[in-house]
Amino acid sequence: MIFRRFRYVSIFYLLVIIVLTAVGTYIMFNTYFWLTSVWIFIVDVLFISIFLNFIGKEQRKLSHFLVSVNQDDFNPPYTKSFKDLDFNQAFEKLSKVIISLRNEAQINYQYLQTVVNQINTAIVCVDESGKIVLSNSSSNELFKKKALRNINSLSISSENLPHLLNNLKPNEKKLVKIKLDGELFNYSVQLAEFKILTNRFKLFSFQNIQSELEQNELESWQKLTRVMAHEIMNSAIPISNLSGLVSNKLFDENGELLKGINKEQEEDIKEGLNTIESRSKGLVNFVEATRNFTKMPKPDLKEVKIVDLIKRVEILLNSKIIENNIKLSVNIASEDLKILVDKSLIEQVFINLLLNAMDALSDSENPEIKINALKKDDNHLIISIEDNGKGIEESNLENIFVPFFTTKQKGSGIGLSLAKQIMFLHKGNITVKSDSNIGTKFVLSF
């Protein structure tokens, strides 16, 4: 309403000034009543002065309002300079709107602070300069500070933590050890980036995974111990039994060597000794495999084309594929698709997975293996190897990556374990999905 009144008054003054100016000019130059024109011009100047004063007054009102908003002063200007009721009403309406918006923003901020402080995960938000603009109570407890000022102040818990955070990539997870009261704890750190207007922010989350790691470690050791005990017992018991049998064949109750051993006894002794030798070699091979598993070389990373990598593995296994009448189909999203890997190590992963797939297809009517490679929207490369074989039993799925666990009679049980370890060395992962009598699908994520 105030702006409509201002417009009408301004138009009125302008029209009066224009009319007076036109009339005065006409009388001065076209009649003999020049004195009348002088009075008209005096009145014209008076209206111009009143008009300028009116504009100045409205400008001061607006200026006062803007200054009040800037200073968070929303009291209406009931002074002699501002007796305009329309302006005061407009001021009050705008003030109520601004106060409402401000209160809503404060409520939302308090709500956000309350929610953030209830989270057990430590959260730290920094701006582009490294200044901490938001932190919750969990982060204050973690870093033993009530107020965190900048990212460098986090070095109190871990000297290399600021450097690690500055080099962390969006959505990337890092494992960091943080010292609390003299004890080391494992934390998973993740970064999320976002932008508000022209300002960029980084949000770091610290998740305590100490208990999860300890639980997983304990379960892994339990699985590994069961598998190793099973493998060792499979060799130790026959060796022990056969040793006793051979001993009974060669010596009497007094420990003296028997004489007159017949042909059948000789065969039994020979067969027993051969079996002991065979199982002893198997046990030695098992120990050797254990040693090799713990001595994984550091990857020599080079950029290679996926198509070349798969073709090389296909050539190596081509004769076995043809021999088993297996249909192999390869689908790569782009021939220019490249990956930074240790070629020999990743080839070993492919070979292990393909050999397992071929073994699973031994009783299939139409054996088929599918290899697919594509790059997802988040730039992660996905390579899958899928077969239509007998699948893996659900009870065995959780153990297939455990070292030395195998369902094969002649298997060592380290192929998939090595594949998992190689993928971890490449900062990737390997997962499996399987359904009985439908097939198995291994997915490599880089």
Side-chain angles (χ1 to χ4, degrees), residues 345-405:
L345 289 178
I346 294 299
E347 281 181 359
Q348 186 62 46
V349 173
F350 285 148
I351 290 171
N352 283 334
L353 294 179
L354 287 171
L355 287 175
N356 285 343
M358 284 187 271
D359 185 67
L361 292 169
S362 58
D363 298 326
S364 298
E365 295 182 1
N366 300 302
E368 183 178 5
I369 297 176
K370 296 179 182 179
I371 301 177
N372 296 305
L374 59 90
K375 182 171 280 190
K376 298 178 71 176
D377 295 336
D378 56 2
N379 285 329
H380 281 80
L381 187 68
I382 303 297
I383 302 174
S384 63
I385 298 176
E386 184 178 2
D387 66 67
N388 60 343
K390 55 191 175 185
I392 303 172
E393 292 183 10
E394 188 175 351
S395 58
N396 294 328
L397 268 177
E398 63 174 346
N399 295 317
I400 61 171
F401 293 113
V402 176
F404 314 113
F405 176 84

Side-chain angles (χ1 to χ4, degrees), residues 115-133:
V115 172
V116 168
N117 285 327
Q118 292 300 316
I119 299 175
N120 291 328
T121 301
I123 293 176
V124 175
C125 183
V126 302
D127 59 16
E128 292 179 289
S129 65
K131 179 182 177 182
I132 295 176
V133 296

Side-chain angles (χ1 to χ4, degrees), residues 19-84:
V19 170
L20 289 174
T21 303
V23 171
T25 302
Y26 177 80
I27 292 174
M28 177 173 284
F29 292 102
N30 295 286
T31 69
Y32 296 101
F33 304 103
W34 59 269
L35 186 60
T36 302
S37 66
V38 171
W39 284 105
I40 291 174
F41 281 131
I42 291 173
V43 175
D44 192 15
V45 171
L46 181 62
F47 267 94
I48 291 173
S49 176
I50 294 172
F51 179 52
L52 292 176
N53 183 60
F54 171 74
I55 293 176
K57 182 180 178 181
E58 300 300 321
Q59 186 178 8
R60 288 192 300 273
K61 291 177 183 177
L62 183 60
S63 177
H64 180 274
F65 173 73
L66 294 176
V67 170
S68 299
V69 172
N70 186 50
Q71 295 178 351
D72 287 341
D73 179 14
F74 297 102
N75 294 316
Y78 292 116
T79 65
K80 293 182 179 180
S81 302
F82 302 107
K83 293 181 179 180
D84 193 326

Side-chain angles (χ1 to χ4, degrees), residues 307-346:
V307 63
D308 295 337
L309 199 62
I310 293 177
K311 279 184 179 179
R312 181 176 172 85
V313 175
E314 188 178 349
I315 291 171
L316 290 172
L317 300 177
N318 189 51
S319 59
K320 192 172 180 65
I321 292 171
I322 295 174
E323 179 184 341
N324 290 277
N325 196 28
I326 296 172
K327 178 184 177 183
L328 179 65
S329 59
V330 179
N331 181 25
I332 301 175
S334 171
E335 291 191 0
D336 295 327
L337 208 58
K338 295 181 179 179
I339 188 172
L340 191 66
V341 293
D342 185 311
K343 187 168 66 174
S344 61
L345 289 178
I346 294 299

Side-chain angles (χ1 to χ4, degrees), residues 63-115:
S63 177
H64 180 274
F65 173 73
L66 294 176
V67 170
S68 299
V69 172
N70 186 50
Q71 295 178 351
D72 287 341
D73 179 14
F74 297 102
N75 294 316
Y78 292 116
T79 65
K80 293 182 179 180
S81 302
F82 302 107
K83 293 181 179 180
D84 193 326
L85 295 178
D86 291 338
F87 178 82
N88 289 335
Q89 289 176 0
F91 186 94
E92 289 180 359
K93 288 181 180 179
L94 288 173
S95 297
K96 288 179 180 178
V97 171
I98 293 174
I99 291 173
S100 176
L101 292 174
R102 185 185 64 179
N103 291 339
E104 185 178 352
Q106 290 177 347
I107 291 171
N108 289 335
Y109 180 76
Q110 291 175 359
Y111 175 76
L112 175 64
Q113 282 284 77
T114 304
V115 172

